[in-house]
Amino acid sequence: MSVTIPGALADHLADERPFDLETRATLDDARRGRGRTLVIEPKTVAPLHVISRRAEYLLGSAYATRPQKEAARVWLKRAGYAPQIITTRYASTEEAYDASQCSEDMRAGDVLVVEAEQAVAFLWQAWPCAVTVAHGEFHRAEGDPREVEANTGPSVRAAMDAAHAIGAPLARVEDQLEAEQAVEQAAADDAPEAHPTLEAARAEHRVVIIPCGAAKLDHAAPAAELYTGSYHRACARAAATLTANGGTVVILSALHGLVPLDRVLAPYEMRMGSTGSVTADVLREQARELGLDRADDVTILAGLSYTAPALAVWPHAATPLAGLPGMGHHLHALAAIAAGEQQPADEQGDGLYAPHGLRNLTTGHIRDETTGRAYCGAQLAGPNGAAVLTCAACRQIRDTAVAVAVVEADEQFAAVARAVDAVTYAEETGAHVATVADAEALFAAQLVTETDADAGTWRGEWIGEQVDDGLFALESGAEQGALFDDRATAPTTVEAAPQHAAPYCSPEVTRASVDAYLARTYPTLLALRNGEPPF
């Protein structure tokens, strides 16, 4: 992933380089972007956390310049604030100790790792305290380091985890034994037989992907319980229905990627697509590790930001929520899926079809008889009798096409009606017109004349025609004014017509010519009437 560091912040990092080895390597490999910006490609999120720490320092520093503060705000808006505890790596314990005393990137509780010396420490106040046998320049922790202060527990556990990762033995024998037991248990938990849901997925070839959620518990919990938001819960209920007869549900986490439901996660803050979120390459590798990369029947129940990276792993996956306009429609569709309600086939009674090379999927596609492909564009194989859902994209595109056809037909009928009214008016008034278009123009002018004559007057507002048995009789020409005389709304073209005008439509415009004109102009419409004009 490529991340851009704003210019003033990039300059500050160049002048006062971080001590962390990974952040240094990332900055050394960076390239210049537009202006003074710096484009980095971190391999993990650790450099992003270190840079966020530096940005937080600049915002609170009285010595930082205005451009530096603005750059820091931009960075934090993009990458977010650093977590409470971060792990940094150093070349030596001496360098790590110096960093703990003078670096703006470190806070109490952080973990310092020196793999070259097999030493790991946590920062207690201003002192790095080793949790490993090797300590170098670090201080040794007397007794159980987790009991130094009530708030040191998470830091000590993070330090021990870092020691496990580099194979460094822990200082306390009981901690080392506990760590070895934890490693053995983790290996047992990661064994295929420990995950029957994943094994079922491999056997059934059915996988349902659901998104994580912003609302979470305030403590670590299995992924199935960690997320508490209504949207995630609705997705989980729908996924449970789809996998009731076999398969597995996997949560797509913006930070952790593909997560089985029984994996324990701590609360975190990360949005899909933001800096540091999981990438498609990581998801592909995780899918291979879980044995799900070749699953045939994959359904993605998520919004666009989560569906797009999942489709990079499973391009053939069904996306029942795709194309639905908003959260309300998503929740309604998810409720229908959870209730086991099968979406009906299209109005022509055609069945649902499977994509090319696949069969017996949960979601089927609607076939476009004109192209032979699915309305969503997918190439189809044969009928998919096992489908319980209709592809949302197919349904939306098909329904839109039908709606457009109805509107076009209505417009054509309206146009024909206007043409018929115009020719009838021309015949009745004896107007000398040569084409249907001229008759329509004359009729439109007459309608405008009538509207203008009434606009803004009593008659136009409320008087209308006087009924015979009214309270008192009015003579429209005398009492209401000359504006309501018959002359006010008389067609001007009739008054100006020459005395020798024919009483009917001229020979150039006849019923036969109108029929021919309409047949040429609206062939589709007239075909709906079996070739007969609709009037």
Side-chain angles (χ1 to χ4, degrees), residues 484-534:
F484 304 106
D485 194 287
D486 293 338
R487 291 172 295 172
T489 56
T492 56
T493 53
V494 176
E495 295 176 357
Q499 295 297 322
H500 61 276
Y504 298 102
C505 186
S506 65
E508 290 83 353
V509 179
T510 64
R511 285 286 180 174
S513 66
V514 171
D515 294 348
Y517 168 80
L518 296 176
R520 291 193 305 273
T521 308
Y522 309 105
T524 304
L525 180 65
L526 297 183
L528 298 176
R529 294 290 187 269
N530 298 320
E532 294 296 330

Short mmCIF file of all heavy atoms in Angstrom, two decimals, residues 484-534:
data_model
loop_
_atom_site.label_atom_id
_atom_site.label_comp_id
_atom_site.label_asym_id
_atom_site.label_seq_id
_atom_site.Cartn_x
_atom_site.Cartn_y
_atom_site.Cartn_z
N PHE A 484 -63.91 38.66 -20.60
CA PHE A 484 -64.59 37.37 -20.59
C PHE A 484 -65.59 37.24 -21.72
O PHE A 484 -66.43 36.36 -21.72
CB PHE A 484 -65.29 37.17 -19.24
CG PHE A 484 -64.34 37.28 -18.10
CD1 PHE A 484 -64.35 38.40 -17.29
CD2 PHE A 484 -63.42 36.29 -17.87
CE1 PHE A 484 -63.45 38.50 -16.25
CE2 PHE A 484 -62.52 36.39 -16.83
CZ PHE A 484 -62.54 37.50 -16.03
N ASP A 485 -65.53 38.16 -22.64
CA ASP A 485 -66.35 38.05 -23.85
C ASP A 485 -65.86 36.85 -24.65
O ASP A 485 -64.72 36.41 -24.51
CB ASP A 485 -66.21 39.34 -24.69
CG ASP A 485 -67.30 39.41 -25.75
OD1 ASP A 485 -67.17 38.64 -26.71
OD2 ASP A 485 -68.23 40.20 -25.58
N ASP A 486 -66.73 36.34 -25.50
CA ASP A 486 -66.33 35.21 -26.33
C ASP A 486 -65.12 35.51 -27.18
O ASP A 486 -64.36 34.63 -27.57
CB ASP A 486 -67.49 34.76 -27.22
CG ASP A 486 -68.63 34.18 -26.39
OD1 ASP A 486 -68.34 33.77 -25.25
OD2 ASP A 486 -69.76 34.15 -26.89
N ARG A 487 -64.94 36.82 -27.44
CA ARG A 487 -63.82 37.19 -28.30
C ARG A 487 -62.48 36.98 -27.58
O ARG A 487 -61.44 36.88 -28.22
CB ARG A 487 -63.94 38.67 -28.70
CG ARG A 487 -65.11 38.93 -29.63
CD ARG A 487 -65.29 40.41 -29.81
NE ARG A 487 -65.66 41.05 -28.56
CZ ARG A 487 -65.73 42.37 -28.40
NH1 ARG A 487 -65.42 43.18 -29.40
NH2 ARG A 487 -66.09 42.88 -27.23
N ALA A 488 -62.49 36.93 -26.22
CA ALA A 488 -61.23 36.85 -25.49
C ALA A 488 -60.50 35.54 -25.74
O ALA A 488 -59.28 35.49 -25.72
CB ALA A 488 -61.49 36.99 -23.99
N THR A 489 -61.29 34.48 -25.95
CA THR A 489 -60.65 33.18 -26.13
C THR A 489 -60.87 32.61 -27.51
O THR A 489 -60.63 31.44 -27.74
CB THR A 489 -61.22 32.18 -25.10
OG1 THR A 489 -62.62 32.11 -25.23
CG2 THR A 489 -60.85 32.60 -23.70
N ALA A 490 -61.35 33.41 -28.42
CA ALA A 490 -61.55 32.91 -29.78
C ALA A 490 -60.21 32.71 -30.46
O ALA A 490 -59.30 33.52 -30.30
CB ALA A 490 -62.40 33.91 -30.58
N PRO A 491 -60.02 31.64 -31.21
CA PRO A 491 -58.75 31.39 -31.90
C PRO A 491 -58.44 32.51 -32.89
O PRO A 491 -59.26 32.81 -33.75
CB PRO A 491 -58.98 30.05 -32.61
CG PRO A 491 -60.14 29.43 -31.91
CD PRO A 491 -61.00 30.56 -31.45
N THR A 492 -57.31 33.10 -32.74
CA THR A 492 -56.94 34.19 -33.64
C THR A 492 -56.74 33.71 -35.06
O THR A 492 -56.99 34.43 -36.02
CB THR A 492 -55.66 34.86 -33.14
OG1 THR A 492 -54.64 33.85 -33.03
CG2 THR A 492 -55.87 35.48 -31.77
N THR A 493 -56.25 32.46 -35.20
CA THR A 493 -56.01 31.95 -36.54
C THR A 493 -57.31 31.80 -37.32
O THR A 493 -57.34 31.94 -38.53
CB THR A 493 -55.31 30.59 -36.46
OG1 THR A 493 -56.07 29.73 -35.61
CG2 THR A 493 -53.92 30.73 -35.89
N VAL A 494 -58.41 31.52 -36.60
CA VAL A 494 -59.70 31.38 -37.28
C VAL A 494 -60.16 32.73 -37.80
O VAL A 494 -60.65 32.86 -38.91
CB VAL A 494 -60.74 30.75 -36.34
CG1 VAL A 494 -62.10 30.70 -37.01
CG2 VAL A 494 -60.30 29.36 -35.95
N GLU A 495 -59.99 33.78 -36.97
CA GLU A 495 -60.43 35.10 -37.40
C GLU A 495 -59.63 35.59 -38.60
O GLU A 495 -60.13 36.28 -39.47
CB GLU A 495 -60.27 36.09 -36.24
CG GLU A 495 -61.19 35.79 -35.05
CD GLU A 495 -60.94 36.74 -33.90
OE1 GLU A 495 -60.02 37.57 -34.03
OE2 GLU A 495 -61.66 36.65 -32.89
N ALA A 496 -58.35 35.18 -38.62
CA ALA A 496 -57.50 35.66 -39.70
C ALA A 496 -57.59 34.79 -40.93
O ALA A 496 -57.02 35.11 -41.96
CB ALA A 496 -56.05 35.71 -39.23
N ALA A 497 -58.30 33.67 -40.83
CA ALA A 497 -58.38 32.76 -41.96
C ALA A 497 -59.14 33.41 -43.12
O ALA A 497 -60.13 34.11 -42.91
CB ALA A 497 -59.08 31.47 -41.55
N PRO A 498 -58.68 33.22 -44.31
CA PRO A 498 -59.39 33.78 -45.49
C PRO A 498 -60.76 33.16 -45.65
O PRO A 498 -61.00 32.01 -45.25
CB PRO A 498 -58.46 33.44 -46.66
CG PRO A 498 -57.65 32.27 -46.17
CD PRO A 498 -57.48 32.49 -44.71
N GLN A 499 -61.67 33.90 -46.27
CA GLN A 499 -63.05 33.45 -46.41
C GLN A 499 -63.16 32.22 -47.29
O GLN A 499 -64.08 31.45 -47.18
CB GLN A 499 -63.91 34.59 -46.98
CG GLN A 499 -64.01 35.78 -46.05
CD GLN A 499 -64.69 35.40 -44.75
OE1 GLN A 499 -65.62 34.61 -44.74
NE2 GLN A 499 -64.21 35.98 -43.63
N HIS A 500 -62.19 32.06 -48.22
CA HIS A 500 -62.31 30.94 -49.15
C HIS A 500 -61.65 29.68 -48.61
O HIS A 500 -61.52 28.70 -49.34
CB HIS A 500 -61.66 31.31 -50.48
CG HIS A 500 -60.17 31.62 -50.33
ND1 HIS A 500 -59.71 32.87 -49.96
CD2 HIS A 500 -59.09 30.83 -50.50
CE1 HIS A 500 -58.38 32.85 -49.92
NE2 HIS A 500 -57.98 31.61 -50.24
N ALA A 501 -61.25 29.66 -47.28
CA ALA A 501 -60.60 28.46 -46.74
C ALA A 501 -61.55 27.28 -46.74
O ALA A 501 -62.74 27.44 -46.50
CB ALA A 501 -60.13 28.72 -45.31
N ALA A 502 -61.00 26.12 -47.03
CA ALA A 502 -61.82 24.91 -47.07
C ALA A 502 -62.35 24.59 -45.69
O ALA A 502 -61.69 24.83 -44.68
CB ALA A 502 -60.98 23.73 -47.59
N PRO A 503 -63.57 24.07 -45.56
CA PRO A 503 -64.14 23.77 -44.25
C PRO A 503 -63.46 22.61 -43.55
O PRO A 503 -63.63 22.42 -42.38
CB PRO A 503 -65.59 23.43 -44.58
CG PRO A 503 -65.56 22.95 -46.00
CD PRO A 503 -64.50 23.77 -46.67
N TYR A 504 -62.69 21.81 -44.27
CA TYR A 504 -62.00 20.67 -43.66
C TYR A 504 -60.51 20.75 -43.94
O TYR A 504 -60.04 21.68 -44.59
CB TYR A 504 -62.57 19.34 -44.19
CG TYR A 504 -64.01 19.15 -43.85
CD1 TYR A 504 -65.00 19.37 -44.80
CD2 TYR A 504 -64.39 18.76 -42.56
CE1 TYR A 504 -66.34 19.22 -44.48
CE2 TYR A 504 -65.71 18.61 -42.23
CZ TYR A 504 -66.69 18.84 -43.20
OH TYR A 504 -67.99 18.71 -42.87
N CYS A 505 -59.78 19.79 -43.41
CA CYS A 505 -58.33 19.74 -43.57
C CYS A 505 -57.98 19.68 -45.05
O CYS A 505 -58.67 19.03 -45.85
CB CYS A 505 -57.78 18.51 -42.84
SG CYS A 505 -56.00 18.44 -42.83
N SER A 506 -56.92 20.37 -45.42
CA SER A 506 -56.51 20.41 -46.83
C SER A 506 -56.11 19.03 -47.31
O SER A 506 -55.79 18.16 -46.51
CB SER A 506 -55.32 21.36 -46.99
OG SER A 506 -54.21 20.85 -46.29
N PRO A 507 -56.10 18.80 -48.59
CA PRO A 507 -55.79 17.47 -49.14
C PRO A 507 -54.41 16.97 -48.73
O PRO A 507 -54.17 15.77 -48.68
CB PRO A 507 -55.88 17.67 -50.64
CG PRO A 507 -56.77 18.84 -50.81
CD PRO A 507 -56.51 19.73 -49.65
N GLU A 508 -53.49 17.90 -48.40
CA GLU A 508 -52.16 17.44 -48.04
C GLU A 508 -52.15 16.66 -46.72
O GLU A 508 -51.27 15.87 -46.47
CB GLU A 508 -51.19 18.63 -47.92
CG GLU A 508 -50.84 19.30 -49.24
CD GLU A 508 -51.89 20.30 -49.67
OE1 GLU A 508 -52.95 20.36 -49.00
OE2 GLU A 508 -51.68 21.02 -50.65
N VAL A 509 -53.09 16.96 -45.82
CA VAL A 509 -53.19 16.24 -44.55
C VAL A 509 -54.53 15.54 -44.50
O VAL A 509 -55.58 16.17 -44.39
CB VAL A 509 -53.06 17.21 -43.35
CG1 VAL A 509 -53.20 16.43 -42.06
CG2 VAL A 509 -51.73 17.93 -43.41
N THR A 510 -54.47 14.22 -44.59
CA THR A 510 -55.69 13.40 -44.52
C THR A 510 -55.50 12.36 -43.44
O THR A 510 -54.41 12.18 -42.89
CB THR A 510 -55.94 12.72 -45.87
OG1 THR A 510 -54.86 11.81 -46.12
CG2 THR A 510 -56.04 13.74 -47.00
N ARG A 511 -56.58 11.67 -43.17
CA ARG A 511 -56.49 10.59 -42.18
C ARG A 511 -55.47 9.54 -42.62
O ARG A 511 -54.70 9.01 -41.82
CB ARG A 511 -57.85 9.93 -41.97
CG ARG A 511 -58.82 10.76 -41.17
CD ARG A 511 -58.43 10.76 -39.71
NE ARG A 511 -59.35 11.55 -38.91
CZ ARG A 511 -59.33 11.63 -37.61
NH1 ARG A 511 -58.40 10.97 -36.95
NH2 ARG A 511 -60.19 12.38 -36.95
N ALA A 512 -55.44 9.24 -43.88
CA ALA A 512 -54.49 8.25 -44.38
C ALA A 512 -53.06 8.73 -44.22
O ALA A 512 -52.16 7.97 -43.82
CB ALA A 512 -54.78 7.93 -45.85
N SER A 513 -52.84 10.04 -44.51
CA SER A 513 -51.47 10.56 -44.37
C SER A 513 -51.06 10.60 -42.90
O SER A 513 -49.90 10.38 -42.57
CB SER A 513 -51.36 11.96 -44.99
OG SER A 513 -52.15 12.89 -44.26
N VAL A 514 -52.01 10.89 -41.99
CA VAL A 514 -51.70 10.87 -40.57
C VAL A 514 -51.33 9.46 -40.13
O VAL A 514 -50.37 9.24 -39.38
CB VAL A 514 -52.87 11.41 -39.75
CG1 VAL A 514 -52.63 11.19 -38.27
CG2 VAL A 514 -53.08 12.88 -40.03
N ASP A 515 -52.11 8.47 -40.60
CA ASP A 515 -51.81 7.09 -40.26
C ASP A 515 -50.40 6.71 -40.72
O ASP A 515 -49.63 6.07 -39.99
CB ASP A 515 -52.83 6.14 -40.89
CG ASP A 515 -54.22 6.34 -40.29
OD1 ASP A 515 -54.31 7.03 -39.25
OD2 ASP A 515 -55.19 5.82 -40.86
N ALA A 516 -50.07 7.10 -41.91
CA ALA A 516 -48.75 6.78 -42.45
C ALA A 516 -47.65 7.47 -41.65
O ALA A 516 -46.59 6.90 -41.37
CB ALA A 516 -48.67 7.17 -43.92
N TYR A 517 -47.91 8.74 -41.29
CA TYR A 517 -46.93 9.49 -40.49
C TYR A 517 -46.70 8.83 -39.14
O TYR A 517 -45.56 8.65 -38.71
CB TYR A 517 -47.42 10.92 -40.32
CG TYR A 517 -46.65 11.71 -39.30
CD1 TYR A 517 -45.42 12.29 -39.60
CD2 TYR A 517 -47.15 11.89 -38.00
CE1 TYR A 517 -44.72 13.01 -38.66
CE2 TYR A 517 -46.45 12.60 -37.05
CZ TYR A 517 -45.24 13.17 -37.38
OH TYR A 517 -44.55 13.89 -36.44
N LEU A 518 -47.77 8.45 -38.46
CA LEU A 518 -47.65 7.82 -37.16
C LEU A 518 -46.97 6.46 -37.27
O LEU A 518 -46.20 6.06 -36.38
CB LEU A 518 -49.02 7.67 -36.51
CG LEU A 518 -49.74 8.99 -36.18
CD1 LEU A 518 -51.13 8.70 -35.63
CD2 LEU A 518 -48.93 9.80 -35.18
N ALA A 519 -47.26 5.72 -38.32
CA ALA A 519 -46.63 4.41 -38.49
C ALA A 519 -45.13 4.55 -38.68
O ALA A 519 -44.35 3.71 -38.20
CB ALA A 519 -47.25 3.68 -39.68
N ARG A 520 -44.70 5.61 -39.38
CA ARG A 520 -43.26 5.83 -39.56
C ARG A 520 -42.61 6.33 -38.29
O ARG A 520 -41.49 5.94 -37.95
CB ARG A 520 -43.01 6.84 -40.69
CG ARG A 520 -43.34 6.35 -42.09
CD ARG A 520 -42.77 7.28 -43.13
NE ARG A 520 -43.19 8.66 -42.94
CZ ARG A 520 -44.32 9.18 -43.44
NH1 ARG A 520 -45.13 8.41 -44.16
NH2 ARG A 520 -44.62 10.45 -43.22
N THR A 521 -43.29 7.20 -37.56
CA THR A 521 -42.68 7.84 -36.39
C THR A 521 -42.70 6.94 -35.16
O THR A 521 -41.77 6.95 -34.36
CB THR A 521 -43.42 9.15 -36.06
OG1 THR A 521 -43.48 9.95 -37.24
CG2 THR A 521 -42.70 9.92 -34.96
N TYR A 522 -43.76 6.16 -34.98
CA TYR A 522 -43.90 5.33 -33.78
C TYR A 522 -44.14 3.87 -34.17
O TYR A 522 -45.19 3.30 -33.88
CB TYR A 522 -45.06 5.83 -32.92
CG TYR A 522 -45.00 7.31 -32.63
CD1 TYR A 522 -45.84 8.21 -33.28
CD2 TYR A 522 -44.09 7.79 -31.71
CE1 TYR A 522 -45.78 9.56 -33.03
CE2 TYR A 522 -44.01 9.15 -31.45
CZ TYR A 522 -44.85 10.03 -32.10
OH TYR A 522 -44.79 11.36 -31.84
N PRO A 523 -43.17 3.24 -34.84
CA PRO A 523 -43.39 1.85 -35.28
C PRO A 523 -43.59 0.87 -34.12
O PRO A 523 -44.40 -0.03 -34.18
CB PRO A 523 -42.12 1.52 -36.07
CG PRO A 523 -41.09 2.45 -35.52
CD PRO A 523 -41.83 3.72 -35.19
N THR A 524 -42.81 1.09 -33.04
CA THR A 524 -42.93 0.17 -31.89
C THR A 524 -44.30 0.28 -31.25
O THR A 524 -44.93 -0.71 -30.88
CB THR A 524 -41.85 0.48 -30.85
OG1 THR A 524 -40.56 0.41 -31.49
CG2 THR A 524 -41.89 -0.52 -29.70
N LEU A 525 -44.77 1.48 -31.09
CA LEU A 525 -46.06 1.70 -30.45
C LEU A 525 -47.18 1.07 -31.26
O LEU A 525 -48.06 0.39 -30.74
CB LEU A 525 -46.30 3.20 -30.29
CG LEU A 525 -47.62 3.58 -29.64
CD1 LEU A 525 -47.65 3.10 -28.21
CD2 LEU A 525 -47.82 5.07 -29.71
N LEU A 526 -47.15 1.29 -32.57
CA LEU A 526 -48.22 0.76 -33.39
C LEU A 526 -48.14 -0.76 -33.49
O LEU A 526 -49.15 -1.43 -33.67
CB LEU A 526 -48.17 1.38 -34.79
CG LEU A 526 -48.39 2.91 -34.81
CD1 LEU A 526 -48.39 3.42 -36.23
CD2 LEU A 526 -49.71 3.26 -34.14
N ALA A 527 -46.93 -1.30 -33.32
CA ALA A 527 -46.80 -2.75 -33.33
C ALA A 527 -47.50 -3.35 -32.12
O ALA A 527 -48.01 -4.46 -32.17
CB ALA A 527 -45.33 -3.15 -33.33
N LEU A 528 -47.55 -2.58 -31.01
CA LEU A 528 -48.25 -3.06 -29.83
C LEU A 528 -49.75 -3.18 -30.08
O LEU A 528 -50.46 -3.85 -29.34
CB LEU A 528 -48.00 -2.12 -28.65
CG LEU A 528 -46.53 -2.00 -28.19
CD1 LEU A 528 -46.43 -0.96 -27.08
CD2 LEU A 528 -46.03 -3.34 -27.71
N ARG A 529 -50.26 -2.48 -31.07
CA ARG A 529 -51.69 -2.51 -31.41
C ARG A 529 -51.97 -3.36 -32.64
O ARG A 529 -52.92 -3.13 -33.36
CB ARG A 529 -52.18 -1.07 -31.65
CG ARG A 529 -52.14 -0.20 -30.39
CD ARG A 529 -53.20 -0.69 -29.42
NE ARG A 529 -53.31 0.22 -28.29
CZ ARG A 529 -52.62 0.09 -27.19
NH1 ARG A 529 -51.76 -0.91 -27.07
NH2 ARG A 529 -52.77 0.94 -26.18
N ASN A 530 -51.04 -4.30 -32.92
CA ASN A 530 -51.21 -5.21 -34.06
C ASN A 530 -51.33 -4.46 -35.37
O ASN A 530 -52.09 -4.86 -36.26
CB ASN A 530 -52.43 -6.11 -33.86
CG ASN A 530 -52.28 -6.99 -32.64
OD1 ASN A 530 -51.19 -7.51 -32.38
ND2 ASN A 530 -53.36 -7.16 -31.90
N GLY A 531 -50.60 -3.38 -35.48
CA GLY A 531 -50.58 -2.65 -36.74
C GLY A 531 -51.69 -1.66 -36.92
O GLY A 531 -51.72 -0.92 -37.88
N GLU A 532 -52.66 -1.61 -35.98
CA GLU A 532 -53.78 -0.69 -36.09
C GLU A 532 -53.49 0.58 -35.30
O GLU A 532 -52.96 0.51 -34.20
CB GLU A 532 -55.06 -1.34 -35.54
CG GLU A 532 -55.54 -2.52 -36.36
CD GLU A 532 -55.96 -2.12 -37.76
OE1 GLU A 532 -56.41 -0.97 -37.94
OE2 GLU A 532 -55.82 -2.95 -38.67
N PRO A 533 -53.82 1.75 -35.84
CA PRO A 533 -53.62 3.00 -35.08
C PRO A 533 -54.43 2.95 -33.78
O PRO A 533 -55.51 2.37 -33.74
CB PRO A 533 -54.15 4.09 -36.03
CG PRO A 533 -54.09 3.47 -37.38
CD PRO A 533 -54.34 2.00 -37.19
N PRO A 534 -53.91 3.56 -32.71
CA PRO A 534 -54.58 3.48 -31.41
C PRO A 534 -55.71 4.48 -31.25
O PRO A 534 -56.08 4.77 -30.12
CB PRO A 534 -53.43 3.77 -30.44
CG PRO A 534 -52.54 4.68 -31.21
CD PRO A 534 -52.62 4.24 -32.63
#
